[in-house]
Amino acid sequence: MATLKIPHPVPSAAEDAEHLRKAFHGWGTDEKAVISILAHRNADQRKEIMATYEELYKENLIKRLESETSGHFERAMYRWMFGPGEREAIFANVALKEKVDWVVIIELSCINSPNELLAIKKAYQMRYKLSMEEDVASHTSGDFRKLLLGLVSTYRYSGEEINASLASSEAKILHDAIKKKTFDHDEVIRILSTRSKAQLNATFNRYKDEYNTSITKVLRNALNKSGTDEDSLTRVIVMRAEKDLLVIKEMYHKRSNESLDQAVAKETSGDYKKFLLALIGN
Amino acid sequence: MATLKIPHPVPSAAEDAEHLRKAFHGWGTDEKAVISILAHRNADQRKEIMATYEELYKENLIKRLESETSGHFERAMYRWMFGPGEREAIFANVALKEKVDWVVIIELSCINSPNELLAIKKAYQMRYKLSMEEDVASHTSGDFRKLLLGLVSTYRYSGEEINASLASSEAKILHDAIKKKTFDHDEVIRILSTRSKAQLNATFNRYKDEYNTSITKVLRNALNKSGTDEDSLTRVIVMRAEKDLLVIKEMYHKRSNESLDQAVAKETSGDYKKFLLALIGN
């Protein structure tokens, strides 16, 4: 369900490295050649190309790409080059350092499986020499800290077993907190940040049965919509192209009357546009 | 630095299983034989004995031990039989279910390395089909929940790199919170529950230099001493016998004018006493 398209047969890492080197050569960069290679290799293949490139030409491919590209294209390409764990660690660090962009932190803690989140936290520690939890905690405060820190810290249970009576009692806690406005932040945060996905689904279904409204509807109305900027667009496409972007594309099309390709083509330009469209499988 | 003594050469798992079977045979159990075998095998060897015993006699060795022993001896033996991750998961579950015994939870989250804590959390999920975080969060409340949940959840950075200016600013936060009594729980909890051991050491040293008193002294005075009961005694000895009990023994002797052996001999009796003394290396 990925959108990434890899040629058959795929060139060797040495061939790719050589073609990239040529694309960088002389005045100006052959961005088209760069995209035609790197937007069509998976994480393992990109890693091998990086190692081979460094071996052959004694320079770091990512640094060279940074000097050869600019703007949104540079940022997208830079993010694309890393494996999933390290890439999301970089996203998280940028989100925490520049301003606390909570959408990024919520996204990475909720979309990834517990073990994927753990891999991101390990990559974060390797790269920044401290834990993601420390950075989340020291850049936030109050209820907001409790929620974000809870989402990032918990190593959730990832199995399917659920407790039905718990689903019922916690649906009531959520209902009382939201509908009756006796807003008990601590309990809402506790439930959302510690329960497993399966248990939360059971609780939300129970909520729907019991109170005739879906909790996601309630929550969606309560959340501010953040405008779509290039950074989020890059983030979603780069993160999901090797994973489940095909499903996202289909859902996007159903909900918005235009295809994701059309929307991206309309909103972006230049090499950045070509690169994203290549990753989307256009 | 373990106190566990293993004979050379060590009998095969099949021989050990056969001797255990004999010790269970007929009226009464030969507890001395059971202790002479199981108190002198490491975690891997015990695991192999359990597998071999089950294969040979089609019964679960742990269940058989439970039916052959009783009281504190049964509890100590039961805990001893598991590997470290699973054993501490069981301790945690008992601590959370019967009453919230926060000493056990603080102990396991602070003494273990981040990866050891993770192994315990994985064992907890395997065994109880939910996360340790869920159980900690749903059995506690208020500041107490924040602290315990923080300690259990965080996947701390385990490297040696520290940030000196952070140590200084966080020593000041702790000092203001404790000495000036402007008790800012959130900040104290944030620091204690997210920072790495190396960073906390740097902060505590800075605290000592800056304010001429050690934070551990301040904290020790603030903590209630919990009486030593058999459960904690068992927990410490069973958990550390294969790890660092020798160091603990030495420190105990220095601080209390009697050896740990003497103290244990005085406070316990029967097979329970014999078993603990065997694990202590007596």
Side-chain angles (χ1 to χ4, degrees):
Chain A
M1 294 184 305
T3 52
L4 183 71
K5 285 183 183 161
I6 300 168
H8 279 287
V10 69
S12 73
E15 286 172 292
D16 280 342
E18 200 191 324
H19 288 138
L20 285 169
R21 180 77 173 184
K22 268 189 202 143
F24 300 147
H25 198 70
W27 285 101
T29 310
D30 184 352
E31 286 89 357
K32 213 180 139 190
V34 173
I35 293 171
S36 77
I37 299 167
L38 294 174
H40 299 283
R41 302 292 182 274
N42 68 27
D44 287 344
Q45 291 162 342
R46 295 193 303 277
K47 207 172 162 186
E48 212 192 325
I49 293 170
M50 277 190 271
T52 310
Y53 186 94
E54 181 129 22
E55 208 184 298
L56 289 175
Y57 306 113
K58 312 292 173 219
E59 71 172 6
N60 183 287
L61 178 57
I62 291 181
K63 284 203 180 123
R64 183 72 196 240
L65 281 166
E66 283 185 290
S67 75
E68 296 286 340
T69 55
S70 64
H72 294 306
F73 178 47
E74 175 191 342
R75 289 166 73 92
M77 185 52 89
Y78 178 81
R79 279 149 179 71
W80 174 243
M81 291 304 288
F82 292 98
E86 198 165 14
R87 180 194 298 142
E88 295 203 40
I90 295 170
F91 280 127
N93 188 257
V94 171
L96 288 168
K97 283 295 154 62
E98 293 177 0
K99 54 176 174 29
V100 178
D101 185 350
W102 51 275
V103 176
V104 174
I105 306 297
I106 291 178
E107 217 178 77
L108 76 89
S109 30
C110 299
I111 292 174
N112 291 291
S113 74
N115 282 328
E116 284 168 343
L117 178 58
L118 183 65
I120 296 166
K121 295 203 283 187
K122 287 183 176 175
Y124 197 97
Q125 294 192 10
M126 282 289 284
R127 210 174 160 84
Y128 304 110
K129 306 297 176 201
L130 82 180
S131 67
M132 198 189 292
E133 284 92 329
E134 285 172 87
D135 273 349
V136 168
S138 62
H139 287 83
T140 50
S141 64
D143 276 346
F144 193 46
R145 174 192 288 169
K146 275 185 236 164
L147 178 64
L148 282 196
L149 186 58
L151 292 176
V152 166
S153 312
T154 308
Y155 183 64
R156 287 179 206 257
Y157 169 61
S158 54
E160 291 305 314
E161 306 239 353
I162 61 136
N163 178 330
S165 74
L166 197 67
S168 173
S169 66
E170 296 195 338
K172 187 173 181 312
I173 292 174
L174 292 176
H175 182 256
D176 290 355
I178 296 169
K179 278 288 183 177
K180 294 193 182 168
K181 314 249 176 193
T182 60
F183 209 74
D184 186 344
H185 301 262
D186 275 7
E187 282 295 280
V188 173
I189 291 171
R190 172 184 68 76
I191 295 168
L192 296 180
S193 68
T194 66
R195 294 300 181 198
S196 70
K197 281 192 188 170
Q199 182 68 39
L200 283 173
N201 271 336
T203 301
F204 297 161
N205 286 335
R206 187 74 204 174
Y207 191 99
K208 207 170 175 179
D209 293 347
E210 200 76 27
Y211 308 109
N212 287 314
T213 178
S214 110
I215 192 170
T216 44
K217 199 169 170 187
V218 177
L219 290 176
R220 212 182 306 136
N221 295 339
L223 281 170
N224 294 319
K225 282 217 165 172
S226 73
T228 317
D229 57 328
E230 279 82 2
D231 280 346
S232 344
L233 183 65
T234 298
R235 195 173 65 243
V236 173
I237 292 179
V238 159
M239 269 175 28
R240 319 297 282 274
E242 281 179 90
K243 206 172 171 180
D244 54 5
L245 192 53
L246 203 58
V247 186
I248 296 173
K249 261 176 86 167
E250 282 161 14
M251 288 175 72
Y252 187 92
H253 206 150
K254 265 189 213 153
R255 292 192 183 187
S256 58
N257 292 323
E258 66 177 347
S259 72
L260 186 60
D261 303 54
Q262 287 169 320
V264 167
K266 217 165 62 188
E267 298 291 330
T268 60
S269 63
D271 296 318
Y272 177 56
K273 172 178 165 180
K274 283 177 210 150
F275 181 47
L276 293 191
L277 289 177
L279 293 181
I280 297 174
N282 188 284
Chain B
M1 295 185 306
T3 53
L4 183 72
K5 285 182 182 160
I6 301 168
H8 279 286
V10 68
S12 73
E15 285 172 294
D16 281 342
E18 200 190 321
H19 288 138
L20 285 169
R21 180 76 172 185
K22 266 185 202 147
F24 301 146
H25 198 71
W27 285 102
T29 310
D30 184 353
E31 287 89 357
K32 213 180 140 190
V34 173
I35 293 171
S36 77
I37 298 167
L38 293 175
H40 299 283
R41 301 292 182 273
N42 67 28
D44 286 344
Q45 291 162 344
R46 297 194 301 278
K47 208 172 160 185
E48 210 193 323
I49 294 171
M50 276 190 270
T52 311
Y53 186 94
E54 180 129 22
E55 207 184 297
L56 289 174
Y57 307 113
K58 312 292 168 218
E59 72 173 4
N60 183 288
L61 178 56
I62 291 182
K63 284 201 181 128
R64 182 71 195 242
L65 280 167
E66 282 186 294
S67 76
E68 296 287 340
T69 57
S70 64
H72 294 306
F73 179 46
E74 175 191 344
R75 290 166 73 91
M77 186 53 90
Y78 178 79
R79 278 149 180 72
W80 175 243
M81 292 305 288
F82 291 97
E86 196 164 15
R87 179 196 297 143
E88 295 202 40
I90 295 171
F91 279 128
N93 189 256
V94 171
L96 288 168
K97 283 294 154 62
E98 293 178 0
K99 58 181 168 35
V100 179
D101 184 350
W102 52 276
V103 177
V104 175
I105 307 297
I106 290 178
E107 218 177 75
L108 78 88
S109 26
C110 298
I111 291 174
N112 290 291
S113 73
N115 283 327
E116 284 168 344
L117 177 58
L118 183 65
I120 297 167
K121 294 203 282 187
K122 285 183 177 175
Y124 197 97
Q125 294 191 11
M126 282 289 286
R127 211 175 159 85
Y128 305 109
K129 307 296 172 201
L130 83 180
S131 68
M132 199 190 289
E133 284 93 329
E134 286 172 87
D135 274 348
V136 168
S138 62
H139 287 84
T140 50
S141 63
D143 276 345
F144 193 48
R145 174 192 288 171
K146 276 186 235 165
L147 178 64
L148 282 197
L149 187 57
L151 292 176
V152 167
S153 310
T154 308
Y155 182 65
R156 285 180 208 256
Y157 169 61
S158 54
E160 289 306 313
E161 306 238 352
I162 61 136
N163 178 332
S165 72
L166 197 67
S168 173
S169 66
E170 295 194 339
K172 188 174 179 312
I173 293 175
L174 292 175
H175 181 256
D176 290 355
I178 295 170
K179 277 289 182 175
K180 294 192 181 168
K181 313 248 175 193
T182 60
F183 209 74
D184 185 344
H185 301 263
D186 276 7
E187 282 295 280
V188 173
I189 291 170
R190 172 184 68 76
I191 294 168
L192 296 180
S193 68
T194 66
R195 295 300 181 197
S196 70
K197 282 192 186 168
Q199 183 68 39
L200 283 173
N201 271 335
T203 300
F204 296 162
N205 285 335
R206 187 74 205 177
Y207 191 99
K208 208 169 174 178
D209 294 346
E210 200 76 29
Y211 308 109
N212 288 313
T213 179
S214 106
I215 192 168
T216 45
K217 199 170 169 186
V218 178
L219 289 177
R220 211 182 307 137
N221 295 339
L223 279 170
N224 294 321
K225 282 215 164 174
S226 73
T228 317
D229 57 327
E230 280 83 359
D231 281 345
S232 345
L233 185 64
T234 299
R235 195 175 65 243
V236 173
I237 292 179
V238 158
M239 269 174 28
R240 318 296 281 274
E242 280 178 271
K243 205 172 172 181
D244 54 5
L245 192 52
L246 202 58
V247 186
I248 296 174
K249 260 176 87 167
E250 282 160 14
M251 288 175 71
Y252 187 93
H253 206 151
K254 267 188 212 154
R255 292 193 185 188
S256 58
N257 294 322
E258 66 175 349
S259 73
L260 186 61
D261 304 56
Q262 288 168 319
V264 167
K266 216 165 63 188
E267 299 291 331
T268 60
S269 63
D271 296 317
Y272 176 55
K273 173 179 164 180
K274 284 178 211 150
F275 181 45
L276 293 191
L277 289 176
L279 293 182
I280 297 175
N282 191 287

